């Protein structure tokens, strides 16, 4: 084991290398590109015996990734934002092939308007695809989660591809100290990929991904894949326990931070959860019983753990760094469906949408969300969903709009 | 006639394989010219083959739990069969290089798509596969339209053909894309046109392509009774007329040169080819469209003048 200062992207690349991935189909996109550049450097210098191929699009990249996994090698790839959206047809398709591999997504807001700033709307678009999803909040988690992702996705009870998500910029370009396991220790945790019967060999012809006629077979295979994804809850727990035993680091499917005796908890994913932890500490210092519940595993949805961790809480502040246009925050809707009808479910689920397109979430905003949620729980009136957006931000935006109008006028466009 | 005809195992009809590898009872239409070509190609390629398929008519060859192939099959999506082939080829090479499979377990990687994918949606992934010098054979069954969805116009549709998206008196206003030249311009290992109605020419080209490495393309003109609107019994005759009229030049690109493998000595008037097909009926009824017929003939003549 060595201790290194790594960016989130560097950590993702190390995760792939320690996993002994054989094959890396790649396509560049900000803020993911550092991952494939790092890997390309290692392969080019002969430091890692893998093959990298650069495709002309993410659609082709995921097709090549799935096809190689279906042929029996261990595959790693990475993308972000528009790339994930461009690949989406194949994201759904290769999950149905039951060909396990790992794809890191470096989360970034989606167009339009086009932006480089981070949020989770990109990865939410893949939530119904059959890819499992692990969401990281630190660079250490990124390395460890890639190893966990292969272990879970390749398990015979699961056999599905896995997305490991990290936030663009906030994590991708932030250096943190990371414990990098030795390759032998990593191999002890993650044995060589056993493709089983799913592979192409001259002596064993097989047809994969064939058409079906009618809803009967279609429903059967889709539901089988759903059940396989659900199997991954237990498989993940086993893998995380083994990981902790070997490496001493705990990565539960759902992280609970000072939530046991809390009456109000923040519920969110990703790197901003580290800001929430800081807010929790300060609110605790001020005498408030506040905590954090953070799913790392979002697909499969670890419903039992989430119910248990939130049982008896008075209010939950759900913070969505995504926006389902015309509905609202995705985490909020999913949490509501998980808790509805549970006798000891929290009385209030307050919905906050924030951190879109790289926007920060300030400590004061965490305090305010805790206050609003506590008051709502006391009054029994759930507040309307709220966008985290300050008067200062609106004033700045109005200035930009003023410039846009003035420029159009001055250039004679109007 | 190819200059290397002496090297071929296929000199005349009786040299063609007598064992047929593709199973019967597929879901293709009666008289499918595409299936005819695939039959003939598969017999020469052999069963140590994986077909990587894009959305199209032939996607319906493998419907759970049946397949007519003795080898393997992977359906991808419409745009990315060459990328799927890249993944399979690379994975097989990795497995061999790392000693995880013996060389005899290797497979020939063959992309199988229609013209909709080959000329249109899949051209980007195809072009990139050529850039990377991918070792694969691309088979395009070209039925000159989106046949599986009812013959809408594609980039492979010929000028003036009536399709289900171009119903007017002039038919499809565009011109059939020159996929052969697009490939050839990028200097791949091999490009050839074939049609099932000329099985000896086809077998020689498959034989030649199979012995090479790198990107290789076979474009098989595939007469389509349902899409082109003619009786299924006429498929072979229409394929033969496509060659004899010069509408479908049989040629190959190899070693940087284009060679015509069959030069019709006296070309049959194009009209003879068009007249058999309902998709060109508007050129003859209710009255003859001499201007359009002359234009089509002139284009064929100009092609051969340039080729001669």
């Amino acid at each position: 084991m060595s201790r290194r200062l790594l960016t989130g992207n560097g950590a993702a690349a190390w995760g792939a290398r320690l996993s002994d991935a054989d094959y890396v189909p790649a396509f560049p996109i900000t803020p993911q590109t550092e991952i494939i550049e790092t890997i390309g450097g290692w392969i080019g210098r002969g430091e890692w015996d893998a093959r990298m191929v650069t495709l002309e699009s993410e659609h082709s990249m995921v097709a090549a990734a799935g096809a190689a996994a279906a042929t029996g090698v261990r595959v790693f790839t990475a993308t972000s934002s528009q790339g994930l959206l461009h690949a989406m047809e194949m994201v759904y398709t290769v999950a149905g092939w039951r060909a396990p591999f790992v794809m890191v997504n470096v989360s970034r807001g989606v167009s339009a308007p086009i932006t480089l700033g981070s949020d989770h709307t990109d990865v939410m678009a893949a939530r119904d695809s059959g890819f499992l999803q692990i969401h990281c909040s630190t660079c250490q988690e990124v390395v460890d989660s890639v190893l966990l992702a292969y272990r879970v996705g390749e398990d015979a009870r699961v056999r599905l591809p896995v997305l490991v998500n990290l936030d663009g910029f906030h994590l991708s370009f932030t250096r943190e100290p990371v414990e990098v396991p030795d390759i032998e220790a990593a191999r002890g945790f993650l044995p060589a990929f056993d493709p089983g019967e799913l592979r192409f060999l001259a002596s064993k012809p097989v047809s994969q991904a064939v058409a079906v006629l009618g809803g009967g077979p279609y429903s059967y295979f889709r539901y089988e894949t759903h059940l396989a994804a659900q199997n991954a809850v237990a498989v993940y727990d086993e893998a995380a326990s083994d990981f902790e035993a070997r490496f001493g680091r705990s990565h539960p499917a759902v992280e609970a931070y000072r939530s046991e005796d809390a009456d109000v908890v923040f519920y969110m994913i990703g790197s901003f959860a580290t800001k929430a932890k800081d807010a929790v500490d300060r609110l605790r210092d001020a005498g408030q019983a506040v905590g954090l519940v953070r799913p790392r595993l979002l697909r499969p949805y670890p419903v039992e753990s989430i119910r248990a961790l939130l049982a008896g809480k008075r209010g939950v502040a759900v913070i969505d760094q995504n926006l389902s246009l015309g509905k609202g925050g995705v985490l909020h809707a999913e949490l509501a469906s998980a808790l509805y009808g549970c006798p000891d479910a929290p009385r209030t689920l307050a919905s906050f949408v924030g951190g879109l397109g790289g926007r920060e979430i300030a400590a004061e905003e965490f305090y305010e969300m805790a206050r609003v949620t506590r008051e709502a729980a006391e009054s029994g009136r759930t507040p309307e969903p709220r966008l985290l957006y300050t008067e200062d931000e609106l004033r700045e935006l109005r200035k930009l709009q003023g410039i846009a109008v003035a420029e159009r006028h001055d250039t004679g466009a109007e | 006639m190819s200059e290397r005809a002496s090297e071929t195992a296929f000199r005349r009809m009786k040299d063609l394989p007598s064992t047929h590898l593709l199973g019967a009872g597929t879901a293709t239409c009666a008289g499918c010219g595409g299936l005819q070509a695939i039959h003939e190609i598969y017999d020469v390629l052999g069963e140590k083959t994986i077909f990587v398929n894009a959305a199209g008519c032939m996607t319906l060859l493998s419907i759970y739990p049946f397949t007519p192939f003795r080898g393997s099959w992977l359906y991808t999506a419409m745009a990315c069969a060459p990328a799927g082939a890249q993944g399979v080829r690379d994975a097989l090479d990795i497995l061999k290089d790392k000693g995880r499979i013996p060389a005899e377990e290797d497979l020939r990687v063959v992309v199988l798509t229609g013209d909709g994918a080959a000329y249109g949606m899949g051209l980007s992934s195809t072009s990139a596969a050529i850039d990377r010098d991918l070792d694969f054979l691309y088979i395009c069954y070209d039925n000159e339209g989106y046949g599986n969805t009812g013959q809408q116009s594609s980039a492979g549709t010929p000028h003036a053909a009536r399709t289900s998206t171009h119903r007017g008196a002039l038919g499809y206003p565009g011109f059939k894309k020159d996929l052969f030249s697009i490939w050839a311009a990028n200097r791949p290992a091999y490009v050839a046109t074939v049609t099932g109605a000329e099985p000896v020419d086809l077998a020689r080209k498959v034989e030649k392509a199979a012995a090479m490495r790198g990107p290789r393309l076979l474009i098989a003109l595939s007469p389509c009774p349902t899409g082109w609107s003619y009786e299924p019994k006429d498929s072979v005759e229409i394929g033969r007329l496509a060659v004899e009229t010069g509408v479908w030049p049989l040629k190959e690109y190899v070693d940087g040169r284009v060679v015509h493998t069959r030069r019709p000595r006296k070309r049959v008037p194009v009209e003879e080819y068009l007249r058999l097909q309902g998709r060109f009926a508007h050129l003859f009824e209710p009255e003859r469209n001499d201007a359009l017929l002359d234009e089509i003939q002139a284009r064929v003549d100009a092609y051969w003048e340039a080729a001669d």
Side-chain angles (χ1 to χ4, degrees):
Chain A
M1 189 181 69
S2 62
R3 194 170 168 83
R4 295 167 183 263
L5 205 54
L6 292 179
T7 61
N9 282 343
W14 267 106
R17 179 168 166 174
L18 293 174
S19 301
D20 275 334
D22 298 300
Y23 187 50
V24 185
F27 187 86
I29 182 169
T30 303
Q32 168 277 120
T33 311
E34 183 189 6
I35 298 174
I36 61 167
E37 287 177 343
T38 304
I39 290 173
W42 287 332
I43 294 174
R45 292 191 296 274
E47 295 169 21
W48 175 17
D49 182 18
R51 183 180 295 218
M52 180 183 224
V53 62
T54 52
L55 283 296
E56 85 293 348
S57 73
E58 292 89 349
H59 189 278
S60 283
M61 179 185 87
V62 174
T71 309
V73 299
R74 185 173 279 160
V75 180
F76 176 84
T77 189
T79 191
S80 181
S81 185
Q82 301 303 115
L84 184 64
L85 297 191
H86 186 62
M88 199 55 76
E89 181 191 24
M90 295 317 294
V91 168
Y92 275 70
T93 299
V94 300
W97 295 357
R98 308 292 300 276
F101 66 94
V102 172
M103 177 157 70
V104 164
N105 184 64
V106 185
S107 259
R108 170 186 144 188
V110 299
S111 188
I114 189 77
T115 185
L116 297 178
S118 178
D119 69 38
H120 300 148
T121 304
D122 58 355
V123 69
M124 290 300 162
R127 75 184 172 136
D128 303 332
S129 65
F131 269 69
L132 311 182
Q133 289 193 11
I134 300 174
H135 289 261
C136 304
S137 70
T138 66
C139 296
Q140 184 68 60
E141 274 186 57
V142 174
V143 180
D144 296 350
S145 295
V146 171
L147 288 163
L148 279 161
Y150 281 108
R151 171 86 175 250
V152 174
E154 291 174 2
D155 191 284
R157 293 163 286 179
V158 180
R159 299 279 320 195
L160 284 168
V162 187
L163 270 165
V164 174
N165 203 69
L166 60 133
D167 294 344
F169 296 86
H170 303 294
L171 213 53
S172 69
F173 300 138
T174 300
R175 281 185 195 276
E176 294 179 342
V178 174
E179 306 278 355
V180 178
D182 294 334
I183 185 80
E184 288 310 322
R187 285 172 183 157
F189 172 73
L190 178 65
F193 177 37
D194 175 11
E197 295 295 308
L198 263 180
R199 60 196 309 186
F200 295 112
L201 294 173
S203 64
K204 288 187 178 175
V206 61
S207 298
Q208 291 198 43
V210 298
V212 294
L213 292 182
Y218 181 81
S219 304
Y220 177 86
F221 289 119
R222 293 298 286 180
Y223 210 79
E224 277 283 301
T225 309
H226 169 61
L227 295 175
Q230 291 194 319
N231 285 344
V233 174
V235 174
Y236 180 91
D237 288 345
E238 287 173 26
S241 296
D242 186 36
F243 190 94
E244 184 172 8
R246 289 169 185 269
F247 299 103
R249 291 189 293 279
S250 170
H251 296 300
V254 186
E255 183 192 27
Y257 181 73
R258 302 185 78 169
S259 70
E260 198 171 353
D261 63 339
D263 48 19
V264 168
V265 299
F266 298 117
Y267 179 91
M268 63 190 303
I269 58 174
S271 66
F272 278 16
T274 58
K275 297 172 189 282
K277 284 184 183 176
D278 191 56
V280 164
D281 290 345
R282 286 164 195 274
L283 288 165
R284 286 271 176 180
D285 289 346
Q288 297 187 37
V290 177
L292 166 74
V293 169
R294 175 180 69 97
R296 280 178 26 82
L297 195 61
L298 205 62
R299 282 293 181 276
Y301 194 74
V303 62
E304 296 302 332
S305 296
I306 290 169
R307 281 177 183 157
L309 288 168
L310 294 179
K313 306 303 172 201
R314 300 188 68 186
V316 181
V318 183
I319 304 168
D320 272 289
Q321 290 171 255
N322 67 79
L323 187 55
S324 171
L325 305 182
K327 175 63 174 81
V330 171
L331 295 182
H332 179 262
E334 294 205 337
L335 184 61
S337 81
L339 296 178
Y340 188 82
C342 294
D344 48 1
R347 189 174 181 189
T348 296
L349 298 185
S351 173
F352 301 93
V353 171
L356 298 182
R359 185 196 182 275
E360 283 290 337
I361 299 179
E364 292 75 14
E365 289 175 315
F366 282 101
Y367 308 152
E368 175 71 3
M369 288 188 278
R371 186 189 65 78
V372 167
T373 304
R374 182 182 303 283
E375 287 180 7
E378 283 164 4
S379 70
R381 286 193 298 275
T382 297
E384 288 293 307
R386 251 169 98 168
L387 175 71
L388 302 183
Y389 207 76
T390 62
E391 288 181 2
D392 281 351
E393 283 178 288
L394 189 59
R395 197 178 309 117
E396 289 302 314
L397 184 83
R398 294 293 184 228
K399 283 186 200 169
L400 295 178
Q401 289 177 316
I403 294 169
V405 169
E407 285 291 316
R408 195 187 319 183
H409 181 74
D410 291 351
T411 55
E414 220 168 54
Chain B
M1 191 67 60
S2 163
E3 63 200 270
R4 297 196 201 170
S6 59
E7 297 171 19
T8 180
F10 307 111
R11 300 205 180 171
R12 51 188 79 84
M13 289 291 277
K14 74 175 182 58
D15 297 331
L16 297 175
S18 55
T19 306
H20 298 303
L21 297 182
L22 198 73
T26 66
T28 54
C29 308
C32 175
L35 190 67
Q36 181 193 15
I38 293 166
H39 254 293
E40 296 170 8
I41 292 167
Y42 196 37
D43 286 347
V44 179
L45 279 182
E47 54 196 77
K48 282 174 73 167
T49 299
I50 174 169
F51 285 93
V52 183
N53 176 238
C57 294
M58 298 307 164
T59 300
L60 298 178
L61 288 181
S62 294
I63 299 174
Y64 186 81
F66 304 109
T67 178
F69 294 103
R70 300 189 186 199
S72 289
W73 171 271
L74 176 67
Y75 170 71
T76 54
M78 188 149 186
C80 61
Q86 180 83 45
V88 173
R89 180 67 270 153
D90 286 341
L92 288 168
D93 287 343
I94 290 165
L95 291 169
K96 281 192 299 178
D97 290 350
K98 294 190 173 179
R100 290 189 226 155
I101 63 168
E104 57 266 28
E105 289 288 11
D106 197 9
L107 291 162
R108 193 191 301 284
V109 179
V110 180
V111 165
L112 177 66
T113 85
D115 51 290
Y119 286 69
M121 199 194 276
L123 192 51
S124 172
S125 62
T126 303
S127 172
I130 299 170
D131 300 343
R132 293 186 302 263
D133 201 33
L134 175 63
D135 183 26
F136 79 125
L137 175 63
Y138 194 130
I139 296 169
C140 168
Y141 56 94
D142 182 357
N143 55 19
E144 305 197 316
Y146 297 106
N148 199 36
T149 45
Q151 200 68 9
Q152 296 78 28
S153 302
S154 80
T157 299
H159 187 57
R162 188 171 277 177
T163 67
S164 53
T165 43
H166 288 96
R167 310 294 305 165
L170 299 178
Y172 175 61
F175 296 90
K176 186 176 178 73
K177 186 180 283 182
D178 186 357
L179 186 64
F180 181 97
S181 295
I182 291 173
W183 268 71
N186 290 283
R187 307 184 69 76
Y190 189 69
V191 191
T193 56
V194 297
T195 190
E198 298 287 349
V200 177
D201 178 81
L202 178 147
R204 282 182 195 151
K205 288 170 175 169
V206 177
E207 178 190 36
K208 190 179 284 187
M212 295 177 171
R213 294 185 59 81
R216 292 150 287 155
L217 170 69
L218 295 171
I219 315 175
L221 183 73
S222 301
C224 173
T226 46
W228 298 6
S229 188
Y230 64 82
E231 288 299 314
K233 69 179 174 54
D234 293 333
S235 276
V236 174
E237 178 63 12
I238 285 174
R240 192 172 291 146
L241 278 168
V243 174
E244 290 176 358
T245 55
V247 164
W248 186 249
L250 294 176
K251 57 186 173 179
E252 59 187 4
Y253 166 93
V254 64
D255 296 335
R257 289 200 309 138
V258 176
V259 175
H260 285 84
T261 54
R262 177 75 55 85
R263 284 177 185 274
R265 291 204 194 290
K266 188 172 184 316
R267 290 197 306 278
V268 175
V270 171
E271 197 178 319
E272 302 300 313
Y273 170 69
L274 305 177
R275 189 185 285 285
L276 287 180
Q277 305 172 44
R279 63 175 173 160
F280 294 112
H282 56 291
L283 301 182
F284 303 98
E285 293 164 1
E287 58 207 26
R288 252 181 97 84
N289 188 336
D290 279 316
L292 202 41
L293 285 167
D294 289 349
E295 184 193 335
I296 294 169
Q297 182 67 59
R299 284 181 190 283
V300 173
D301 293 345
Y303 173 88
W304 286 103
E305 274 162 33
D308 284 338

